[in-house]
Structure formats: structure tokens, C-alpha cells
Amino acid sequence: MHDAYSQHPQSLAGSMITLARTPVRSSLHSISFRRAAHSHSRSMRPLTPADLNPAVLNVQYAVRGELAIKAEELNEKLRSEEHRDTLPFKKVISSNIGNPQQKGLDQPPITFTRQVAALMEYPPLAEIVKDKWNPDVIQRAKQLQEEIGSVGAYSHSKGIPLIRKHVAQFITERDGYPSDPEDIFLTAGASAGVSLLLNVLITAHKTGILIPIPQYPLYTATLAQFSGVPLPYHLSEQDGWSTSLAEIKAALAKAETDGKVTPRALVVINPGNPTGALLDRQTMEELVWLCEEHSLVLLADEVYQENLHRRDEHPFHSFKQVVRQLGSQIPLISFHSISKGVFGECGRRGGYFECCNISTDVRALLYKMVSVGLCPPLSGQVGVDCLVRPPKPDEPSYALWKQETDDIHAALAHRTQVMSERLNKLPGVSCVNSPGALYLYPKLELPQNAIDAAHKLGKEADTLYALELLGETGICVVPGSGFGQKDGEHHYRLTCLCPGVEEYVGMLEKFHLNFLKRYGGA
Amino acid sequence: MHDAYSQHPQSLAGSMITLARTPVRSSLHSISFRRAAHSHSRSMRPLTPADLNPAVLNVQYAVRGELAIKAEELNEKLRSEEHRDTLPFKKVISSNIGNPQQKGLDQPPITFTRQVAALMEYPPLAEIVKDKWNPDVIQRAKQLQEEIGSVGAYSHSKGIPLIRKHVAQFITERDGYPSDPEDIFLTAGASAGVSLLLNVLITAHKTGILIPIPQYPLYTATLAQFSGVPLPYHLSEQDGWSTSLAEIKAALAKAETDGKVTPRALVVINPGNPTGALLDRQTMEELVWLCEEHSLVLLADEVYQENLHRRDEHPFHSFKQVVRQLGSQIPLISFHSISKGVFGECGRRGGYFECCNISTDVRALLYKMVSVGLCPPLSGQVGVDCLVRPPKPDEPSYALWKQETDDIHAALAHRTQVMSERLNKLPGVSCVNSPGALYLYPKLELPQNAIDAAHKLGKEADTLYALELLGETGICVVPGSGFGQKDGEHHYRLTCLCPGVEEYVGMLEKFHLNFLKRYGGA
């Protein structure tokens, strides 16, 4: 019937308003009304990107950008019988994103966590599994149920009080300094917390946020969204991607010279993403004092704190511990997540941030803001509880938990080692053997022909490299332009999450050598 | 040790920078450095609300505002043995928020949904429950697992493709018009979708968004956050909270007269929150043509579409159906959620929005924005699948599903009926007997003494009323000032979710009569 309307000549144009005010109920009137009104549709301006928030237009997020969209298309082709055989590979390997449990990578979830989660979803299950699952699993779920009630209910907007208490205990034990549950906000992953803080810290004036280069593009994306000004400071690749105070000071001096930008916060990602670098304690102390001197809020992204491949040589220290030990008064927000570590529970969307040296009125304002979004997902909150309260050595679930987590740690360390070693042997590739996180960020010396070919396509050469890698092998990585690099340099980020690392690196090697040959670099 | 630093005289002020540049590793040097550096802390300016984004300072969200915070404090007291007996009630009843499964309300979750969710959390469970749970439950979980893999993995940022396909099928069947899975975005509840759309639609210029008054305060809160301009249009209480075109046109005319504001979108909440009103089809058509005429995006908040207490008299029509039937080209975004209806799964944070008449480039921009947040929680996405694909009549889980959902529908309709009937009998109270949603929004005629007493405290009289109601009965409602009302009017919103409606209304009645007596109104 609606087709008839759309084909009808627009004969009653102009009379819509009058008719619209008349209460017409009969179908005849209604049809007249519709015809009349429809004639107005010619004045309807369609919505175009130019109508939208220009800040939003500026947002870039390469981890799920051009390469990831191309990978999706290839996945679609692999699913179609017709196109499947036109591709030179049988599966896409998503090395673009730290998503350990995704299909094809299949890092197993921790049994303890998932059994607790299943019981939270359906409490009568306890009766069915009581002789099959460990009693500490059932006990944990029961304790959480008594506190929470149903996981189908909104919780406190900052998160379930008992779980925040457990987070505070975890932090206290980790750092040796007290933590207050009121300073803990549970979040839908660390990203939600970072977004909130940047939204709150960026004022209408030009607000500068110091970010490392290379960086995880959440930061530049969120700065673009809220019209903040990124103040980039370069990490030192030749020194294992270390953080240089001089670089940060230079960025601050530049902001001052440029005049209109007020530096407000310093973002530090430790262990680094995409670099995998770990800050040494001395540098951390210097960064804290720098924040003191310049009245900067320190935003410490510590989501990879459990991903340490060479713990003795490169231990993790939290900024909270350093700040407390120094007796510093700098406002510090530190972020943690259940998505990384060996937990890898990205899909639950869970995490937390801790406020340190944040006044109660600012904290109340953060609470107000999170209350508009009601609460973080309960599945993520329950995940946080399991992250910060794993089974203890004297508990029945400990042995399996230990074995599962040790296996994942070992596999990550092994893959990182093999990948960096073999990549470093390739002509034109150098790669810091990262001591932490889930990534490598190899540097590429690309042939001039490749650079020229890329520029002809309006692309960076590392984007061309990544696109060809994807097209030939099915391996999806993110070009360095997505994370930032010095002019004229080329990198890519890949995760250390592949199954069958030997075969995987073999594919990278073969592609690289062919690429060099193709563009006359070998 | 850090205490010693903080007590140390600030004797080395000024030398920090030099020291910080020197690689000092010995503990002696380190101590000197810390002392020196610490002396700089005097220049640290603490972070105050005045330093923060002024837009954020303006955000108000009454559903979790003053009353809810007061209710939290009372809950704390009830938990403490020392204070428990000082209160005139034994529990707080949170009628401030539509949270059906919360403790004390305990609306049961749908068994089918929760069994599927438990299997998704821990797939080996299938073996244990295969002779105990219905085969369609196990089959559903298996199908979703094959598509998704682990619920611990990030999904596609718009949501799992198969679930988006199911949503599109649900919409197609509901409306009789096709829906494209590519137009569906799964979200962390409807709020996340509304926030995204408002962020995208509000440009740097003064962007006006038409919102109903009274409204769900998510809208004013999000407009404040993104510096949009609310263009309020009043609903007509005397006509059952109906929507008047004349009111909207007046608001548009005012925006034009005021000059600087560009109307960009019309928000319609149907069924209404807090009013519970349902739009009739005629009004919906008129609203669509009005959007055509003024090139407005229609934001249709339809999260209560399943909450219909008198379906025959007040049916629900989706705006998607109306737009398609009229052949209109207006850009429409419609929001749905798993938090409401009889599903009530607020804690999972699940929902979706559908784009209708949105160009692929604008849709790509929305995709880019959601990709920065990675993906909605998988528990919410699985919930959406169960919402849009409940058991069918010939499936084993149907009978229980039918009984459970019928019971919840009946309880809601009964409570709404009893509450509105009894409230209407109270002196100075009038209450539209709402045909939909989960709320009532009674109007109060309050004694002048109460108004004066409230003003002396710097509060609205309905806030005073709600605070005293909470303090005397433990019932937490939200004053009308949180949703908007005409000057001099007073209302409050309460949910129709209480257990034991007779006793509950009895408490409201007793309180009300005492309040009138106290302030000389009876």
C-alpha cells in the first residue's frame, strides 16, 4: 500500500500543516492526509556526514580501521562457497587486535572464572554441579549472589561495593599501600574509563594531553571526539622504546610556545602498547615529579601489568605505589582491565580505575557521570572479582588455575621471543624484543619503490605493506601510521597471540622477502 | 619510609630537574633525588571541579541523584547493627529506577535466557545438563557458540552478525517491512546508543534537540554532556500525557525566533517514560511529517514496546513501520533494550538501535565511533538474541517461557492499575493510569507551607516530599523536577515494580496524609 503513496502525484502539496492539525480518523481522510503530507517529503534534506559533529569526523581508530574492515570482507569471502577458492589462504588471522579468545586464536578461558560466571547466570545450577565442580567455585558464586542478587539487575553505578572492596584489597597487597574502595570505579573495560576521564578533563579551552608516540589509538580517537589537543612525546626505539623525560619536556615547552594549549594530563601506557616496553622505577619517579611540577593529572594505563615475559629483568611497578612511596600529591588515575593479562576476557567488558589524590568533589562528579550510563555490565564486574581474587594455594581450584595461567604466560613469552628473534633476522626489519604486553612493533626499512607505489595510492607505505600481507597470507596487522611514528619511518603492530608460531612467522618471512623482491628492495 | 619524605624539610627545592636528568641508581642518590623532587610538590595545584569540563559540571541525572544517594546511605545504615534500629523501616524500596531484578523486587529472570547464558559461559556444561535442560536451550547455545566462539572475545563492533540478523528478522516480523542487519547496531543498553547518536548529531554550532517534558533524564544529561540545546515540548497531562504537534511547533518556532539554535532531531519516548503514555497512530504520522518538513532526525526511544497493560485499547506501533508505510524519507533511529519489557535484564547491558533512511556513509561513521569502544558486552548481545528469538510454540521451552512472561505482564498491569486507582483517591493527588512502560507519574497539589519549607532549604517541594517519603517509609522515588514539569507543578515518578502492592500503596497513602497534616494541607 505504501508503494501506491510513493507513486502518487504530489498533488496536494502545501496543505499538510492544515490537515495535520485536524483530527482525521476515517481511512479516506487518512489517505488524503498521507498523500498531502507525503508531498512534503521533497523538502526533506537527507543526513550527510557534513551535518554531523566535526569532532566525530576527525576520529581515527586504526585497530578496527581500513585493515580490519578489509579482513572482514575476506572473512565473508571465506564463508562463501563461490569465492572461497579465489583466495590464497584458508583463514584470516586477526593479529590486529589483542583479542586472545577470538576464533582461530582460541586462548582458553580460565575454568574457575567461567564456572563462577555460569553459576551467576543460573543459580539453581549449583545443585546440579555440586559434586562435579570444586566447592570453592560454588562458594564464590554463592557469596557473590548473596551480595549482588541477580546479575540481571543494575548495580551501583561505580560497581558492586563488595567487588570494589576486593579490588582495593588486591591493590593494597600489590603495592603495600592502602586503597579505598570508594576510590575504585568498575568500568566496561579500560576504554570506558579512559573515555570518561578525557571527557571530564578536556575543558572548552584548548586542553593538551601528553600522549606517547607510538600510542594505542584509543587516546587520539578519544581526544578527537572530545576536541582535546594531543601533545605527542616520542618514545625512544633505539633504547627499547624507553620513555624520555626530555621528550616530554620538549612537548610541554612546545605547548607553551604555541601559547594557546594548556597541558592538563600525561598519559603513560605501562607496559606499553604497541611497544611492549616496561618503565623502570627511576623513570616512573621522574614522571611523577614532572607531573608535580606542571600540575598534570597522570593517566596510567596499566592494563598489561600481568603480561610480563621477563619478570626478573623487567618487573612491573604500579604508578600508585610510586606516587605513594614518594609522598606525591599528583592526581593519578590508573586503569586495569580483565581483557588482557592471561585472563583475556575482552567480551565481558570489565575493568576498573582507581583514583589517587582525587578530591571527594571531583570523585562525586565522576560518579554522577557514570550514573548516567547506569552501571558497567555485571558479567564484567564478576570477571573483575575473579581477576583480583584468584583461587589461593590452599583452595581446591588453585592447581588447575595455576596450570592454566602458567601455560598462557609461557606461550605468550615463547611466541614473543620466537617472533622477535626471527623478525630481526629479516632484511630491513628490526624489532625490540618486548618484555611485556601482547604485541611487537617491528620497524620496516621499505624500498623506495614501495613508498612511491603507496603514495600513488594515497597511502602510507606501511599501510600498503599491511594490505598486501593481508591479501596474500590472511594475516591482519595494523600499520604504524595508526599508532604514530616519526616522519618517514614505517612500522606495524602485530599481536603475539597466533597459534602455531613457527608456521605463522614463516608466513611473515615469506611475504616480507617477496615484498622486497616485488619492490626491488632485496 | 615515604612518611619520612613527606616530613622532610623542603631544603633542596629547585634542583629536581637537574637531578632528574642524571641517571641515579644508588639508593643514596635515589633518596636525595626524592627529597629534592618532593620539594617541588608545593607547586602542585590540586584538581578541583573548576578545572574540569564545564559541560560535565552541568550534567544532571536525577534517577541516580540526591534521592538515590540518600537511599544508599540509608541502606548502609540498615546494614549496620548499630544504626539499624534508629530507622522507622526495615528496608529501602528502590522505586526510583526501572530495575526489575534488583534485590527486594526480585522479578525472576526468564529461565530460557539464563540457561542459554550459563551454557555460553561454560560450554562443557552441555554434557552435564543434557538430560536436565530442554534440548532447544542446548541447541540455541550450541548455535550461538558455533557463530561466536568464546563470549570472552571481542565481537564485531556493531555486534555479532548472526544476532544482528535475528534482530532484523524480529523487526521485519513486527512491522511487516524489511530490515537490513547492516542497519542494526547492538549496544550496551539503549543509553549507550542514545549517547552515541546525540554525540554525533550535536555539532559545534548550537544544535537543538526537541525533547518531551517530562522526559527520561538521560536526554538532558547527555545534551548537557555534549553541549546540545534542549528544545522542550510539553506533553499534555490532562489528555493522558499525549503528544501535541502544536507544542512541538511552538518549540520549533521559539528556536527560530531565538535565532542561534538549529533544530536537528526530535526525541520521542513511546511508550513514555516517565508518563507510560502510548502514541496513537495518527499522532505518529503527524510527527513523521513534521520531521520531513523540518528536516529532523527522529530518535525513537521504544524500549518499553513490550510493556503494554491494555494492548487492545493502546497498541504499540513502531516508528519504523509508520515511516515505511508513509514512504517517508526521514532519518530514523529506533532504540530497543533487554533491560525493560518482561525481560528486565538491566545488568547485562544489552540493546540495539536500527538505522532507517541513514546513508551508508553516515552509518560507516557510526561504525567507526562504536569501534573505538571495541564492542558491546557479549552477555548483553546473547541477551538480545534471546529477546528477539524467544522459544516458539512448538518448542520444548515454550510453555515455561509463556508462563513466566505472562505472569510478569499480569503482575505489572495489576500493580499499575491498583497504584493509579488508589493514588487517585488521595487528596491532592492525580495520576494518569498509564497504559504502558513501568512507571506512574502522579501530580501533587502540595500545601503552601510545604512549598515554603522546601524553598527555605533551597529545594523544590516535590524533592522535599520525596526526601520525607524516603526518610519515613524507605520508599525511594524521583521528584518531578528530575524529569521536567510546568512551573509551579509538582510530580514524582515511581516504578510499578514493588512486591506486595497493597502494603506498598498503603505506605504511600499513610505518608501522604501525614505529609498534608504536617504542612497544614488537610
Side-chain angles (χ1 to χ4, degrees), chain B residues 402-413:
Chain B
K402 181 83 169 68
Q403 183 201 315
E404 288 175 338
T405 53
D406 283 354
D407 285 354
I408 299 172
H409 275 303
L412 270 171

Side-chain angles (χ1 to χ4, degrees), chain A residues 64 72 103 146 157 367, chain B residues 64 72 103 146 157 367:
Chain A
R64 294 217 158 175
E72 266 175 46
K103 269 184 163 183
E146 275 164 15
S157 298
Y367 176 30
Chain B
R64 294 215 158 179
E72 265 174 46
K103 269 186 165 181
E146 274 164 16
S157 298
Y367 176 32

Side-chain angles (χ1 to χ4, degrees), chain A residues 2 5 16-17 20 24-25 33-34 37-38 41 43-45 47-49 51-53 56-57 59 61 64 72 97-99 101-103 111 114-115 117-118 121-122 125 128 132-133 146-147 149-157 177 191 199-203 218 225-226 249 264 282 285-286 289 291-293 295 324-327 330-331 339-340 344-349 359 361-362 365 367-369 371-375 377-379, chain B residues 2 5 16-17 20 24-25 33-34 37-38 41 43-45 47-49 51-53 56-57 59 61 64 72 97-99 101-103 111 114-115 117-118 120-122 125 128 132-133 146-147 149-157 177 191 199-203 218 225-226 264 282 285-286 289 291-293 295 324-327 330-331 339-340 344-349 359 361-362 365 367-369 371-375 377-379:
Chain A
H2 63 293
Y5 296 139
M16 191 272 273
I17 303 304
V24 276
R25 299 284 168 184
F33 163 71
R34 283 176 197 161
H38 183 72
S41 72
S43 68
M44 181 71 212
R45 210 169 18 80
L47 191 68
T48 70
D51 298 317
L52 304 181
N53 183 349
V56 163
L57 299 181
V59 168
Y61 185 68
R64 294 217 158 175
E72 266 175 46
I97 184 164
N99 188 13
Q101 294 186 26
Q102 71 183 302
K103 269 184 163 183
T111 301
R114 291 304 192 87
Q115 289 181 340
E121 289 291 357
Y122 192 64
L125 186 59
I128 299 174
K132 296 180 163 53
W133 293 358
E146 275 164 15
E147 166 82 7
S150 167
V151 291
Y154 295 126
S155 72
H156 191 288
S157 298
Y177 291 92
S191 302
N199 185 197
V200 165
L201 288 173
I202 294 167
T203 64
L218 166 69
Q225 183 185 2
F226 297 122
K249 285 176 190 163
R264 169 58 51 84
Q282 178 67 30
E285 294 182 0
E286 291 169 10
W289 295 128
C291 290
E292 290 260 1
E293 193 187 3
S295 289
R324 284 288 182 251
Q325 195 165 349
L326 298 181
I330 63 161
S339 300
K340 311 302 172 186
E345 290 281 350
C346 306
R348 316 187 85 75
R349 314 307 297 119
S359 65
D361 48 358
V362 170
L365 208 138
Y367 176 30
K368 179 184 77 177
M369 291 305 291
S371 77
V372 180
L374 296 158
C375 71
L378 273 279
S379 66
Chain B
H2 63 294
Y5 297 140
M16 191 271 273
I17 305 304
V24 277
R25 298 283 169 186
F33 163 70
R34 284 177 196 160
H38 184 73
S41 71
S43 68
M44 180 70 212
R45 212 170 14 82
L47 191 69
T48 70
D51 298 317
L52 304 181
N53 183 347
V56 163
L57 300 182
V59 168
Y61 185 68
R64 294 215 158 179
E72 265 174 46
I97 184 163
N99 189 13
Q101 294 187 25
Q102 71 183 301
K103 269 186 165 181
T111 301
R114 290 304 191 87
Q115 288 180 341
M120 297 302 294
E121 289 291 356
Y122 192 65
L125 186 59
I128 298 174
K132 294 179 165 52
W133 293 359
E146 274 164 16
E147 166 82 8
S150 166
V151 291
Y154 295 126
S155 72
H156 190 288
S157 298
Y177 292 91
S191 302
N199 185 197
V200 166
L201 289 172
I202 295 168
T203 64
L218 166 69
Q225 185 186 359
F226 297 124
R264 168 60 49 87
Q282 179 67 31
E285 293 182 359
E286 291 169 11
W289 295 129
C291 289
E292 289 259 2
E293 193 188 2
S295 288
R324 285 287 181 251
Q325 195 166 347
L326 297 180
I330 62 161
S339 302
K340 311 301 171 187
E345 290 280 350
C346 307
R348 316 187 86 75
R349 312 310 295 119
S359 64
D361 49 358
V362 170
L365 208 137
Y367 176 32
K368 179 184 77 176
M369 291 305 290
S371 77
V372 181
L374 297 159
C375 71
L378 272 280
S379 66

